[in-house]
Amino acid sequence: MESLLLSFYNLSKASINQKTVSEQLKISQKHLARSLKRWQAEQFLTYTSGRGRGHMTEIDWQLNIDDHYFQQVTSLFSTEPLDEVVHYLTWDWSETSKQSLLLQANQLLGIDRKDNDRLIIKKRYAPLTLNPLAANDINSFNVLSNLYDTLVEFKEGRYHYQLAHHIHVTETEAVIYLRKNIRFHDGQLLTALDVSDCLKTAKSSSYMHGLLDPLHSIETINNYQLKLSFTDCPYILDILSTLNLSIYKVADESYIGTGPFYIHKNTDTHSILKAFDNYYGLRPFLDEVEMIYIPDQKHDEFSLPAGDQLTAHTVTDGFYYMLSLRDNRLTQAQRETTHYIMQTYLRQTSERKNIAKAAPTILKQSRYFSRTPELTSGFTVRLVYPSYIRKLMNDVRQLLKRHHIEVELIPVTIDEAIHSRLDYSADYYLHGAFLNGAEHYEYFSLLFQHKAMQHHLPAQYPALKDIFESYITSPTATWSRRHIIVDRALEKRHLLIPLFNNQKTLYVPQKLHSARIVLHGFYNWDEVYIE
């Protein structure tokens, strides 16, 4: 079977312009010409090249490719392992065939207890990285949090020790006492030297954006103790609790953690996580978690054995915002107009189910204009956005056009959105964010660790550099009030504008217990058990 042939067939055209079709299929004209000759030789079609009006190529199909391939894939579903067949779901099928194949896949997904306790999940995106230091997207976070552990964890308003048995913190140092007999997934014991190497790598990495610069030294005392010396680092426990500072090692170009699961298999189409029998904590009830990646999948989905029920959970967490870019050319009046229209009307007029209708909030404060400003029109706003929210951006375009504002949309890849400075000639960048963990640290991290924020905000609001110094020289207990002042100052200047709160309805099987439901599903797979 050939995905290109299926894509070409489902263009459903009897007459084609080879230049136009090659662009649609994202191949060269020479590639298309060679393929047509081969497909004719294989008796899939016949064609007459360039003799119609406008040099059109006439196609006469000898076989229904969509139906032919559908029958083959259906047969494979019953004879081959699912992980070896699932990539066919990403091909360009007709809508009827696609829905039927998805239905067949659904019947094979879910909780499989024939040999062990296994949970299989359909997801839209695979993790972008298995390196915890580089992780900066929710899909990576969800998976990697099951593979790696941190020294300390912030949960339910409190710090809980994980790999660390205890951490003694003063204004200038932190002495870390490690738990004993913790093993990596390769069976080797965790030592203070492993932790030291990990922290030194993080300190020199651009991923931390200088937040570990206050560390003067990382000293190993013995196999289970090490000392961090620093100046002006009141957030030391907070940063040690972030996934980016998970403890791992690298062997044979693979990342090896200490978490409750380890990677058994990982490809572009699926991943298999297996429970780590020598986990120092409580061994997971689940033996395996298998994730199948389907690009058209709208949200994580759990299929079930016949007769089980789903429970709906509506979760509101995270928010979408507009970040003013340093090349923003809008006048103050145009910025205020864009700000007001986007913040006031987008959540009211969009039909997107993930947009909460309530006023947007960051740090639990509502956002609204106390009065309607004098609106202007007749200008163009240039908006950068990650390509996966293109449908939302169509709503944005229509909304602004109704107010006589032209829109230039500039899509970027997910990788660019997460890891680049977004150094585009544009006015605003739209994206989503969530404050996970200790809110006082997460907002600080959003401002000072996010690469795009760091590149664009200080250039437009120079006081942010002094504000950073005020943060790191004051106890974290005082940060909440500081956050509110900074947040209001940024919004008042139309630099960081919350647009709407993100919400989602999740359907979780009733037979799955102890799942902590968050916006992007649940990922505490080590705590889940099956009834």
Side-chain angles (χ1 to χ4, degrees):
M1 290 184 287
E2 183 180 359
S3 62
L4 180 61
L5 177 58
L6 180 65
S7 297
F8 182 59
Y9 178 83
N10 280 322
L11 291 176
S12 301
K13 294 180 179 179
S15 299
I16 66 166
N17 179 288
Q18 290 196 30
K19 181 177 184 299
T20 300
V21 167
S22 62
E23 290 173 353
Q24 287 179 280
L25 297 174
K26 298 179 181 179
I27 59 175
S28 67
Q29 282 185 253
K30 288 184 178 180
H31 188 172
L32 177 59
R34 289 195 301 268
S35 296
L36 286 171
K37 289 180 181 179
R38 176 166 53 82
W39 294 334
Q40 181 168 257
E42 294 171 351
Q43 299 183 349
F44 290 125
L45 56 78
T46 59
Y47 75 98
T48 305
S49 183
R51 295 181 182 177
R53 191 177 66 177
H55 305 289
M56 301 294 284
T57 297
E58 304 296 325
I59 306 294
D60 183 17
W61 288 98
Q62 305 299 303
L63 183 68
N64 183 324
I65 304 299
D66 191 84
D67 183 65
H68 180 58
Y69 279 7
F70 173 81
Q71 298 300 331
Q72 292 187 58
V73 173
T74 296
S75 176
L76 290 174
F77 270 135
S78 61
T79 60
E80 301 296 329
L82 180 59
D83 60 303
E84 295 182 11
V85 184
V86 71
H87 69 278
Y88 291 116
L89 297 179
T90 66
W91 287 17
D92 293 324
W93 300 95
S94 66
E95 191 60 30
T96 300
S97 295
K98 183 174 184 179
Q99 291 304 317
S100 180
L101 289 173
L102 284 172
L103 180 61
Q104 292 180 55
N106 282 342
Q107 293 170 350
L108 296 174
L109 294 172
I111 302 168
D112 182 351
R113 307 191 67 176
K114 291 180 181 178
D115 302 315
N116 54 20
D117 289 290
R118 183 160 61 116
L119 178 66
I120 307 179
I121 310 169
K122 286 192 299 183
K123 299 173 68 70
R124 183 176 182 182
Y125 298 114
L128 294 180
T129 179
L130 293 180
N131 178 1
L133 183 57
N136 198 23
D137 67 289
I138 190 63
N139 296 289
S140 298
F141 268 61
N142 285 0
V143 176
L144 270 54
S145 62
N146 291 280
L147 305 178
Y148 308 100
D149 280 328
T150 52
L151 293 165
V152 62
E153 178 186 25
F154 187 88
K155 184 169 67 174
E156 298 175 351
R158 294 178 54 198
Y159 297 104
H160 301 266
Y161 294 121
Q162 285 197 299
L163 298 178
H165 184 278
H166 179 73
I167 303 178
H168 180 66
V169 180
T170 69
E171 290 186 358
T172 59
E173 66 181 32
V175 178
I176 301 171
Y177 301 81
L178 295 177
R179 296 187 189 276
K180 295 183 178 181
N181 295 324
I182 293 178
R183 294 187 181 274
F184 284 103
H185 294 151
D186 63 358
Q188 297 299 308
L189 286 172
L190 170 72
T191 68
L193 183 59
D194 296 311
V195 177
S196 174
D197 289 344
C198 219
L199 294 179
K200 286 177 180 177
T201 298
K203 177 175 167 55
S204 62
S205 168
S206 62
Y207 293 120
M208 297 309 296
H209 302 282
L211 291 185
L212 288 177
D213 285 354
L215 266 65
H216 302 315
S217 67
I218 302 171
E219 176 188 351
T220 302
I221 299 172
N222 56 44
N223 276 347
Y224 297 102
Q225 286 181 253
L226 64 157
K227 182 172 72 174
L228 314 181
S229 300
F230 48 78
T231 303
D232 297 335
C233 193
Y235 52 85
I236 186 66
L237 284 181
D238 298 296
I239 200 167
L240 290 177
S241 70
T242 61
L243 179 74
N244 297 121
L245 286 189
S246 296
I247 304 305
Y248 67 95
K249 65 179 183 177
V250 181
D252 298 325
E253 300 183 350
S254 297
Y255 296 94
I256 303 173
T258 62
F261 289 89
Y262 66 93
I263 287 282
H264 174 67
K265 189 173 184 180
N266 188 52
T267 71
D268 292 338
T269 58
H270 79 291
S271 301
I272 298 176
L273 277 59
K274 287 196 172 186
F276 182 37
D277 289 332
N278 293 319
Y279 185 52
Y280 69 95
L282 299 176
R283 196 265 195 200
F285 179 87
L286 292 176
D287 298 304
E288 291 185 12
V289 176
E290 182 170 1
M291 290 162 287
I292 310 293
Y293 309 123
I294 303 174
D296 291 336
Q297 188 72 20
K298 292 183 179 179
H299 51 76
D300 290 3
E301 193 171 295
F302 312 89
S303 299
L304 299 167
D308 202 4
Q309 301 295 315
L310 297 174
T311 301
H313 300 264
T314 298
V315 183
T316 300
D317 183 25
F319 54 91
Y320 270 75
Y321 64 86
M322 285 202 313
L323 168 68
S324 176
L325 304 183
R326 61 196 301 164
D327 192 44
N328 192 328
R329 299 176 186 175
L330 300 180
T331 66
Q332 196 66 13
Q334 291 168 347
R335 294 181 188 211
E336 185 174 52
T337 296
T338 304
H339 180 171
Y340 180 79
I341 293 171
M342 289 288 288
Q343 191 177 79
T344 305
Y345 297 121
L346 181 59
R347 59 191 166 87
Q348 297 177 5
T349 59
S350 177
E351 296 299 321
R352 306 293 159 207
K353 293 182 179 179
N354 67 304
I355 298 179
K357 299 302 181 183
T361 60
I362 303 178
L363 305 174
K364 300 181 178 65
Q365 47 179 328
S366 294
R367 303 311 186 91
Y368 58 89
F369 279 79
S370 58
R371 60 176 179 80
T372 302
E374 184 176 344
L375 302 181
T376 185
S377 60
F379 62 94
T380 298
V381 60
R382 303 165 300 165
L383 301 175
V384 178
Y385 68 97
S387 57
Y388 64 85
I389 62 168
R390 61 185 181 278
K391 292 182 179 179
L392 171 64
M393 297 310 295
N394 288 333
D395 292 351
V396 169
R397 185 202 296 271
Q398 293 172 16
L399 171 63
L400 292 174
K401 280 194 169 185
R402 285 199 296 271
H403 290 82
H404 309 291
I405 299 170
E406 293 299 317
V407 179
E408 179 185 340
L409 297 180
I410 305 170
V412 298
T413 65
I414 296 177
D415 189 62
E416 282 182 285
I418 292 173
H419 296 300
S420 79
R421 300 191 307 176
L422 298 173
D423 209 0
Y424 284 86
S425 179
D427 303 310
Y428 282 104
Y429 168 62
L430 272 73
H431 199 210
F434 65 101
L435 304 183
N436 183 38
E439 185 178 90
H440 64 266
Y441 177 74
E442 290 294 319
Y443 184 76
F444 171 79
S445 177
L446 176 69
L447 293 182
F448 299 111
Q449 190 178 354
H450 190 286
K451 183 171 285 189
M453 295 275 190
Q454 275 291 283
H455 181 60
H456 295 282
L457 282 180
Q460 301 171 87
Y461 187 40
L464 208 55
K465 295 179 181 179
D466 294 331
I467 290 171
F468 176 76
E469 294 299 322
S470 73
Y471 270 109
I472 65 174
T473 54
S474 60
T476 56
T478 67
W479 282 12
S480 294
R481 176 61 182 165
R482 197 180 306 273
H483 286 343
I484 293 173
I485 295 171
V486 172
D487 203 39
R488 286 176 176 166
L490 293 173
E491 186 180 8
K492 182 179 179 180
R493 290 165 175 79
H494 316 297
L495 299 178
L496 184 60
I497 304 167
L499 299 178
F500 58 85
N501 294 334
N502 208 12
Q503 72 176 19
K504 186 178 291 185
T505 299
L506 302 168
Y507 299 91
V508 178
Q510 290 183 357
K511 286 186 177 180
L512 287 175
H513 295 275
S514 296
R516 293 203 304 268
I517 310 300
V518 295
L519 183 67
H520 299 278
F522 72 90
Y523 53 93
N524 59 323
W525 300 324
D526 60 316
E527 300 174 3
V528 169
Y529 68 94
I530 304 170
E531 182 182 315

